[in-house]
Amino acid sequence: MGNLVAIVGRPNVGKSTLFNRLTKTRRAIVSDEAGTTRDRQYGKCDWNGREFSVVDTGGWVVNSDDVFEEEIRKQVLIATEEADLVLFLVDVSTGLTDLDEDVANILRRSKLPVVLVANKADNNDWMYAAAEFYKLGLGDPVCISSATGSGTGDLLDIVMDKLKEEKADEIEEGIPRFAVVGRPNVGKSSIINAFIGEDRNIVTDIAGTTRDSIYTRYDKFGFDFYLVDTAGIRRKNKVTEDLEFYSVMRSIRSIENSDVCILMIDATRGIEAQDMNIFQLIQKNNKSLVVVVNKWDLVEDKTQKVIDTFTNAIRERMAPFTDFPIIFASALTKQRIFKVLETAKEVYLNRKVRIGTTKLNEVMLPLIEAFPPPSIKGKYIKIKYVSQVPDTQIPTFVFYANLPQYVKEPYKRFLENKIRDNWNLTGSPINIFIRQK
């Protein structure tokens, strides 16, 4: 159950720089995936073996030059509702501003732990200047320079002290965890009600830590699963209905805590930017995916042609990951609701697929021989052997080559597609590594 830390503050105090510094180590290892737009707003930070997620609220303001103060207040409000801890960034070099005081007011009212961070304190003189921030009533300002990184270690120690140690949830392993995600008003609660009916065959309700997801275990129609429900019971703040930042903050926890994400798209509206943001969160967390096009009952023209057009549009937007099921359903009329659960279960089992090494090499090596990796600078790349790594979160394959550094992304995609053509891994992401033989 990950902790969520939000970075807030007015524009140009260095939120993104701090975000990059907290998440960089992690990102360098993960490799930069091609073309995710809002990538820089959400990442993971690992400090002394404890991990938490970081969200930079600054990246969500539409045009950062003339930021409406209202927007910033809204975001701070959402951050306090959704996060476990807030890093409030102020700028020592410009001193205290009215907007800082506004933000501080909101933060003081929330019951959340807040760490006041005085940024751009590049030398000792600035450290003295930071004293004026005591006025905000949020305790000691922690002086850092996110540009040079000085002070960030101390800052992380303080963050760790304030974040509660994670309690492990009493969740049975080996039972799939499904999260229903999507932007506001796409019908998430209707589909959950359709799954579980009014008689709610709940096996157990496990409340997570304070404001975490709640796992509800169901045993219905021969499916035994947990539904991850991000404490959606909390007050609906009308302000936040239309903000995409809100739907992303809302989704982070459910996605992180699930195995399979059921991403809902509104048939009457098609794919929107918000759907893509949530899809990218699912990908970043290596979760399995089932796409459900909901409100299908409202579409007049249900010909195969329309279905194909819709399906292709979805796959095109979500490429290069295209191997996932798409189900046209209606929570209202309960059309294909069981199909959704059935598919989610299949997709969950695909995460667990083990392919024998002999079989893998029998199929893959001839394909690689027929289409070897393109030679670079006159060097020929030979892939000699492949095996699946045991006990990984998602199916992970290692290809052993003489010059692994020359095998580029497009060829890895080719390998992935060939694995998918030969084994059913639908809905599950897979990892491909090229190593020195």
Side-chain angles (χ1 to χ4, degrees):
M1 205 44 100
N3 275 311
L4 188 53
V5 171
I7 303 175
V8 306
R10 56 190 178 74
N12 307 325
V13 290
K15 293 190 292 294
S16 310
T17 323
L18 178 61
F19 172 83
N20 290 340
R21 196 160 273 289
L22 296 183
T23 55
K24 71 170 189 317
T25 42
R26 179 70 181 235
R27 184 147 332 140
I29 301 166
V30 175
S31 89
D32 283 329
E33 281 308 294
T36 35
T37 42
R38 301 237 166 193
D39 231 18
R40 55 178 204 286
Q41 272 72 50
Y42 160 81
K44 297 221 166 57
C45 173
D46 199 320
W47 186 246
N48 295 342
R50 278 175 68 192
E51 188 182 80
F52 58 90
S53 304
V54 192
V55 177
D56 163 21
T57 58
W60 292 93
V61 175
V62 193
N63 44 1
S64 44
D65 305 332
D66 56 344
V67 172
F68 309 111
E69 281 153 31
E70 202 31 53
E71 271 299 287
I72 293 170
R73 287 193 200 101
K74 263 188 215 172
Q75 285 181 355
V76 173
L77 208 62
I78 294 168
T80 57
E81 281 189 18
E82 301 297 332
D84 296 303
L85 177 138
V86 170
L87 294 177
F88 174 26
L89 218 55
V90 290
D91 177 346
V92 181
S93 59
T94 53
L96 197 53
T97 68
D98 294 350
L99 192 48
D100 291 330
E101 297 193 357
D102 285 353
V103 172
N105 282 334
I106 299 172
L107 293 176
R108 278 202 309 273
R109 281 200 292 271
S110 80
K111 299 279 175 281
L112 262 199
V114 175
V115 179
L116 176 60
V117 183
N119 192 19
K120 306 192 188 174
D122 301 330
N123 56 38
N124 286 347
D125 301 348
W126 286 123
M127 306 247 176
Y128 294 118
E132 72 164 318
F133 292 106
Y134 277 106
K135 271 203 339 222
L136 295 173
L138 291 167
D140 299 338
V142 181
C143 291
I144 67 161
S145 161
S146 52
T148 63
S150 76
T152 42
D154 299 342
L155 173 62
L156 280 164
D157 289 340
I158 293 169
V159 168
M160 283 311 176
D161 276 350
K162 292 198 179 227
L163 284 178
K164 295 179 184 55
E165 274 291 345
E166 294 294 278
K167 291 203 289 290
D169 289 299
E170 310 87 70
I171 288 185
E172 262 186 62
E173 284 305 309
I175 292 171
R177 295 181 294 193
F178 300 157
V180 177
V181 294
R183 52 192 169 71
N185 305 328
V186 69
K188 295 188 290 288
S189 34
S190 326
I191 204 165
I192 290 173
N193 288 338
F195 282 160
I196 55 196
E198 294 319 300
D199 52 339
R200 294 204 154 209
N201 303 21
I202 300 180
V203 187
T204 47
D205 234 356
I206 296 174
T209 40
T210 46
R211 40 169 73 209
D212 279 328
S213 304
I214 293 165
Y215 295 101
T216 311
R217 186 164 170 187
Y218 293 97
D219 201 339
K220 292 207 65 147
F221 332 109
F223 297 114
D224 186 5
F225 61 96
Y226 285 110
L227 264 185
V228 183
D229 168 35
T230 314
I233 325 111
R234 260 178 301 128
R235 65 197 169 83
K236 270 264 196 283
N237 190 332
K238 270 291 166 252
V239 180
T240 52
E241 275 312 297
D242 53 352
L243 277 181
E244 69 189 297
F245 172 60
Y246 172 71
S247 62
V248 169
M249 283 291 283
R250 270 270 128 123
S251 316
I252 289 175
R253 276 219 171 74
S254 324
I255 292 172
E256 289 183 345
N257 297 324
S258 67
D259 299 307
V260 179
C261 295
I262 298 170
L263 172 61
M264 297 189 61
I265 290 174
D266 184 331
T268 59
R269 297 178 63 167
I271 294 204
E272 300 183 340
Q274 245 171 310
D275 301 316
M276 289 308 296
N277 280 325
I278 295 174
F279 169 69
Q280 281 157 8
L281 280 176
I282 296 170
Q283 275 222 290
K284 238 178 135 78
N285 281 290
N286 275 337
K287 301 303 181 185
S288 300
L289 173 68
V290 175
V291 170
V292 176
V293 180
N294 188 31
K295 306 192 186 175
W296 192 236
D297 53 308
L298 300 179
V299 176
E300 321 250 284
D301 182 1
K302 295 188 176 59
T303 54
Q304 191 56 42
K305 189 165 176 248
V306 173
I307 292 182
D308 292 345
T309 314
F310 215 118
T311 305
N312 293 337
I314 293 176
R315 295 203 196 281
E316 263 165 38
R317 287 292 301 273
M318 298 191 177
F321 180 44
T322 53
D323 185 15
F324 52 83
I326 298 175
I327 299 168
F328 293 83
S330 159
L332 195 67
T333 64
K334 297 200 173 26
Q335 181 190 15
R336 299 203 191 85
I337 288 300
F338 296 154
K339 179 97 175 107
V340 174
L341 279 180
E342 209 169 59
T343 310
K345 185 169 182 188
E346 282 165 18
V347 162
Y348 170 74
L349 292 172
N350 290 349
R351 283 176 87 80
K352 309 262 173 263
V353 166
R354 298 278 308 127
I355 303 169
T357 307
T358 322
K359 191 85 192 111
L360 203 52
N361 284 283
E362 262 169 33
V363 173
M364 293 301 292
L365 293 181
L367 289 170
I368 291 169
E369 225 147 274
F371 288 96
S375 57
I376 291 186
K377 302 178 188 150
K379 293 188 165 64
Y380 290 100
I381 302 157
K382 290 192 177 50
I383 294 179
K384 285 280 167 39
Y385 179 75
V386 51
S387 69
Q388 183 179 354
V389 185
D391 304 325
T392 46
Q393 280 265 290
I394 58 173
T396 301
F397 301 92
V398 179
F399 290 81
Y400 292 93
N402 55 346
L403 299 162
Q405 67 278 26
Y406 290 138
V407 179
K408 298 286 182 260
E409 209 47 56
Y411 195 77
K412 285 190 191 167
R413 258 205 290 287
F414 163 78
L415 294 174
E416 173 173 338
N417 291 338
K418 290 301 170 219
I419 291 176
R420 290 184 184 280
D421 291 346
N422 286 283
W423 290 277
N424 179 11
L425 293 164
T426 298
S428 175
I430 62 183
N431 278 331
I432 290 197
F433 295 111
I434 317 283
R435 298 261 161 83
Q436 189 75 43
K437 65 167 191 291

